[in-house]
């Protein structure tokens, strides 16, 4: 399946973010293909350059996404994409930084990091492929699996409440929260563009059907159980955003909440006098020596 995006430039066609000739290790029909395509489209339409983009992921099928993009990327430990992404953005605020992984990685092993990333508000985008199952480890229930969902490891069915990432994010007063559906590439692309353009922490939960290990939450299931927020919806209304996030009969899609506030980088004392990235600054070895000595003294 060719998921490249051709972008017409001056007299030539450029494949901005496509590696080309790479074997993709996803099952045919996997929702990850659509997310990858929507992301390539969004990045190209935002006129971003591969060399100015860093995608950070953890472990899992979704975490393989940056392997299929022409850009800088960092593959970290399971659940640990957000700390690395926060550090990269802090060291060089000029970069566009995207943290990307699946629901197990971001909401399970990485749930604590998600909470504190929302609190810190780094200027990064967090894209979560939410298929309600662990795909790489062959079909265990994930934090977002619905009640009653049966797997070989949960033969009697999941009996606890699924995590509601958008309700959690809005409750923590996140800077940007949205939900997309991989079955609608065009709308997913538009949501990605808004999230990446937003200044602050932007969470995008993407419903992504797993065609191998989740035969319940299929493309058809999502089409029947989702709807798009109305054009008149006001994403600045936190109370209404929380109400929408709690809906379960039909699951809303779109941008739930936008709350512009100072970013983690803007709050750092390092950037109060100068916005020059740290990697361009002259290293003061005397200061570093003092810090090392202070650490040794305890």
């Amino acid at each position: 399946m060719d998921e490249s995006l051709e972008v017409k430039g001056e007299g030539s066609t450029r494949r901005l973010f496509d590696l080309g000739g790479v074997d993709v290790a996803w099952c045919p029909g996997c929702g990850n293909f659509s997310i990858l395509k929507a992301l390539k489209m969004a990045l190209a339409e935002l006129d971003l350059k591969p060399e100015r983009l860093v995608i950070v992921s953890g472990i899992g099928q979704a975490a393989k996404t940056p392997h299929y993009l022409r850009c800088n990327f960092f593959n970290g430990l399971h659940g640990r994409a957000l700390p690395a992404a926060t550090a990269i953005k802090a060291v060089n605020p000029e970069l566009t930084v995207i943290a990307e992984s699946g629901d197990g990685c971001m909401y399970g092993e990485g749930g604590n990091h998600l909470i504190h990333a929302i609190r810190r508000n780094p200027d990064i985008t967090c894209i979560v492929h939410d298929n309600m199952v662990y795909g790489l480890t062959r079909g265990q229930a994930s934090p977002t699996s619905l009640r009653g969902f049966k797997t070989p490891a949960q033969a009697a069915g999941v009996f606890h409440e699924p995590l509601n990432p958008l309700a959690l994010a809005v409750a923590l007063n996140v800077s940007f929260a949205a939900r997309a559906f991989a079955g609608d590439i065009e709308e997913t692309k538009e949501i990605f563009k808004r999230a990446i353009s937003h200044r602050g922490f932007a969470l995008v939960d993407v419903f992504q059907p797993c065609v191998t290990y989740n035969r319940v939450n299929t493309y058809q299931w999502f089409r029947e159980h989702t709807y798009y927020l109305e054009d008149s919806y006001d994403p600045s209304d936190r109370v209404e955003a929380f109400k929408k996030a709690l809906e379960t009969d039909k699951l809303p899609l779109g941008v739930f909440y936008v709350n512009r506030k100072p970013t983690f980088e803007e709050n750092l004392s390092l950037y109060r006098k100068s916005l020059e990235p740290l990697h361009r600054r002259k290293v003061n070895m005397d200061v570093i020596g003092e810090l090392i000595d202070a650490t040794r003294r305890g």
Side-chain angles (χ1 to χ4, degrees), residues 211-241:
V211 296
T212 300
Y213 296 112
N214 188 341
R215 302 300 179 87
V216 176
N217 308 112
T218 62
Y219 285 96
Q220 187 61 32
W221 187 93
F222 282 117
R223 290 190 180 99
E224 293 174 354
H225 290 82
T226 60
Y227 75 94
Y228 281 99
L229 294 169
E230 301 82 2
D231 291 339
S232 59
Y233 175 78
D234 179 8
S236 68
D237 188 334
R238 187 181 179 193
V239 173
E240 188 62 24

Side-chain angles (χ1 to χ4, degrees), residues 124-142:
I124 63 178
T125 303
C126 178
I127 297 174
V128 185
H129 302 220
D130 188 356
N131 57 14
M132 305 179 183
V133 72
Y134 279 93
L136 186 66
T137 51
R138 307 178 74 83
Q140 298 84 4
S142 81

Side-chain angles (χ1 to χ4, degrees), residues 236-253:
S236 68
D237 188 334
R238 187 181 179 193
V239 173
E240 188 62 24
F242 194 69
K243 289 179 181 177
K244 289 294 182 183
L246 292 178
E247 291 185 7
T248 56
D249 291 338
K250 281 260 189 175
L251 303 167
L253 301 172

Side-chain angles (χ1 to χ4, degrees), residues 140-195:
Q140 298 84 4
S142 81
T144 56
S145 296
L146 300 181
R147 274 188 168 184
F149 180 68
K150 294 182 179 181
T151 77
Q154 290 85 20
V158 174
F159 55 81
H160 41 256
E161 287 287 337
L163 178 74
N164 186 328
L166 291 186
L168 173 67
V170 175
L172 291 170
N173 205 24
V174 70
S175 189
F176 182 102
R179 180 190 284 146
F181 168 45
D184 189 339
I185 294 175
E186 187 65 26
E187 286 299 325
T188 298
K189 176 202 71 175
E190 291 301 321
I191 290 172
F192 283 168
K193 286 169 63 177
R194 289 184 65 178

